[in-house]
C-alpha cells in the first residue's frame, strides 16, 4: 500500500510529529501546500494543528482526495504546553 504523510502546521508542532512519524515509518512527507496530485497513493496520513476553524489545511487537501484512495488517517495536534 503506497502511503504518504501530509501535514499542516502554523507553529511547527504538527510538523515535528509528522517528521518523526515519517522517519519511523520510512514514508514520504509533504506540506499540504506542496500537494498537486494524490492519485498514486492508497493511504494518506494527515497530521494537522487543531484550531477553532478545523484542522490546518485539511479542507484544502480533502478536495484532492479522490474515490480510489482506500484509507485516510487524520491525526490532530491540539494545545501543546511547555514546562
Amino acid at each position: 500500500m503506497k502511503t504518504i504523510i501530509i501535514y499542516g502546521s502554523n507553529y511547527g508542532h504538527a510538523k515535528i510529529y509528522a517528521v518523526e512519524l515519517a522517519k519511523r515509518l520510512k514514508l514520504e512527507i509533504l506540506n499540504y501546500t506542496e500537494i498537486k496530485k494524490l492519485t498514486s497513493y492508497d493511504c494518506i496520513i494527515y497530521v494537522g494543528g487543531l484550531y477553532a476553524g478545523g484542522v490546518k489545511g485539511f479542507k484544502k487537501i480533502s478536495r484532492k482526495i479522490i474515490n480510489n484512495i482506500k484509507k485516510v488517517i487524520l491525526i490532530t495536534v491540539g494545545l501543546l504546553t511547555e514546562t
Side-chain angles (χ1 to χ4, degrees), residues 41-68:
Y41 298 99
D42 300 312
C43 178
I44 295 171
I45 300 172
Y46 192 90
V47 181
L50 184 60
Y51 302 98
V55 179
K56 176 71 176 178
F58 190 73
K59 188 173 186 178
K60 180 180 178 185
I61 202 72
S62 66
R63 294 181 191 136
K64 295 183 181 191
I65 296 173
I66 58 172
N67 294 333
N68 67 345

Side-chain angles (χ1 to χ4, degrees), residues 1 4-5 8 14-15 29 31 34-35 38 47 54 65 72-73 76 81 83:
M1 184 176 281
I4 186 171
I5 295 177
K15 181 180 179 181
I29 181 171
N31 187 300
E34 301 172 309
I35 299 300
L38 295 172
V47 181
I65 296 173
V72 177
I73 300 169
T76 61
T81 60
T83 58

